[in-house]
């Protein structure tokens, strides 16, 4: 069976070094854009200026929300670009289980959706990565409450 959109984009390709490194480094990549902002706000005294004008709870909720979005978008954007580029170059051949080229077995998560509606499966997969990446970025902010080192 020829390579199709569903086994050619980086989000599915489990055999290449690039995809493997991308998903191994995902937690680190999600925390880079904004992970140390709370610690920086405290050490530079910027938080004192903010707390004069706003409630601390409101500040923290906005900080968590922005961090969640920045971490999730940082990870999901390259995957969406890879998917769109792959969609423009490769055909959208419906996955066939008997070819054993897709690596999705009957016991896997959403396997029936992958066989019947592969684009719905891909969208769900992207949503799952979006949520996971955002939570990893929020975890970095949570750790910054308990540490005295910026890089931890």
């Amino acid at each position: 069976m020829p390579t199709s959109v569903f086994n050619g984009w980086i989000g599915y390709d489990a055999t290449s070094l690039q995809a493997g490194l991308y998903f191994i480094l995902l937690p680190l990549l999600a925390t880079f854009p904004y992970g140390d902002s709370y610690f920086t706000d405290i050490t530079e005294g910027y938080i004192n200026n903010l707390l004069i004008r706003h409630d601390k709870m409101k500040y923290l909720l906005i900080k968590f929300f922005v961090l969640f979005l920045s971490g999730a978008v940082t990870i999901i954007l390259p995957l969406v670009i890879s998917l769109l580029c792959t969609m423009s170059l490769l055909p959208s051949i419906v996955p066939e289980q008997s070819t054993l080229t897709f690596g999705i077995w009957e016991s896997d998560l959403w396997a029936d959706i992958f066989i019947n509606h592969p684009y719905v499966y891909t969208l769900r997969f992207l949503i799952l990565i979006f949520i996971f990446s955002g939570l990893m970025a929020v975890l970095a902010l949570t750790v910054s409450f308990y540490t005295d080192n910026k890089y931890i």
Side-chain angles (χ1 to χ4, degrees):
M1 182 156 191
T3 303
S4 75
V5 171
F6 309 112
N7 62 353
W9 68 296
I10 196 169
Y12 180 82
D13 188 14
T15 59
S16 72
L17 177 65
Q18 296 86 357
L21 283 175
Y22 187 77
F23 284 106
I24 288 172
L25 297 175
L26 186 131
L28 187 61
L29 293 171
T31 60
F32 271 158
Y34 203 63
D36 65 339
S37 66
Y38 181 72
F39 184 79
T40 306
D41 288 351
I42 290 175
T43 56
E44 293 178 0
Y46 182 66
I47 194 167
N48 296 331
N49 295 330
L50 289 174
L51 293 181
I52 290 172
R53 295 179 187 94
H54 301 289
D55 182 35
K56 186 173 184 176
M57 191 59 147
K58 182 178 178 183
Y59 164 74
L60 289 175
L61 285 175
I62 291 171
K63 177 87 63 187
F64 272 104
F65 180 72
V66 168
L67 183 60
F68 181 88
L69 283 180
S70 70
V73 168
T74 301
I75 298 301
I76 207 73
L77 193 62
L79 290 174
V80 169
I81 291 171
S82 170
L83 180 63
L84 292 174
C85 290
T86 306
M87 288 169 65
S88 67
L89 296 173
L90 295 176
S92 294
I93 299 172
V94 177
E96 191 64 43
Q97 270 189 325
S98 62
T99 61
L100 301 176
T101 58
F102 291 96
I104 301 291
W105 311 109
E106 291 178 9
S107 61
D108 290 343
L109 179 67
W110 304 323
D112 55 335
I113 296 173
F114 180 71
I115 298 302
N116 298 323
H117 307 286
Y119 281 112
V120 173
Y121 174 84
T122 304
L123 180 65
R124 284 185 174 191
F125 186 70
L126 288 172
I127 291 170
L128 190 65
I129 292 172
F130 184 86
I131 292 170
F132 174 75
S133 303
L135 290 176
M136 293 299 346
V138 167
L139 180 66
L141 180 60
T142 306
V143 168
S144 71
F145 289 126
Y146 303 108
T147 185
D148 294 331
N149 190 339
K150 180 178 182 175
Y151 297 105
I152 290 179

